Amino acid sequence: MTPRVEINYCTQCRWLLRAAWMAQELLTTFETELGEVALVPGTGGVFDVRLDGELIYSRKEAGRFPESKELKQLVRDRIAPERDLGHSDRKP
């Protein structure tokens, strides 16, 4: 079974475009590794990212939105730890 990412975003805050952009970034980076990226509408300022049900990023907990690079690293570390993300990767 291939990994599934869920991006739960706040419709009241109009964060659909941000969620869609993050989904595009993940799908472009992990073309063969991810099976699905779902956009899940919510309310109350939510912007959470889950990988196979596990919360990997919460805007409320972090106090900010994730950077694209940061989210790619979080996903990579769980589904393809040996993978190099090129310019998006951490510096040693």
Side-chain angles (χ1 to χ4, degrees), residues 1 3 14 23 27-28 38 40 45 61 66 70 75 83-84 91-92:
M1 187 165 124
R14 306 274 188 219
L27 286 168
T28 301
V40 182
E61 287 179 14
E70 178 179 20
V75 170
R83 175 136 183 229
D84 179 18
K91 301 278 187 223

Side-chain angles (χ1 to χ4, degrees), residues 29-83:
T29 301
F30 301 103
E31 291 175 333
T32 58
E33 292 94 345
L34 287 177
E36 177 181 1
V37 176
L39 300 179
V40 182
T43 58
V46 68
F47 196 92
D48 291 343
V49 181
R50 287 182 170 75
L51 177 61
D52 290 335
E54 175 192 353
L55 182 65
I56 62 169
Y57 195 91
S58 169
R59 186 195 68 81
K60 283 187 181 179
E61 287 179 14
R64 60 180 176 79
F65 286 100
E67 294 179 28
S68 171
K69 169 184 171 178
E70 178 179 20
L71 194 53
K72 289 177 188 181
Q73 290 169 351
L74 289 168
V75 170
R76 184 272 316 268
D77 290 350
R78 286 164 176 80
I79 68 170
E82 70 289 344
R83 175 136 183 229

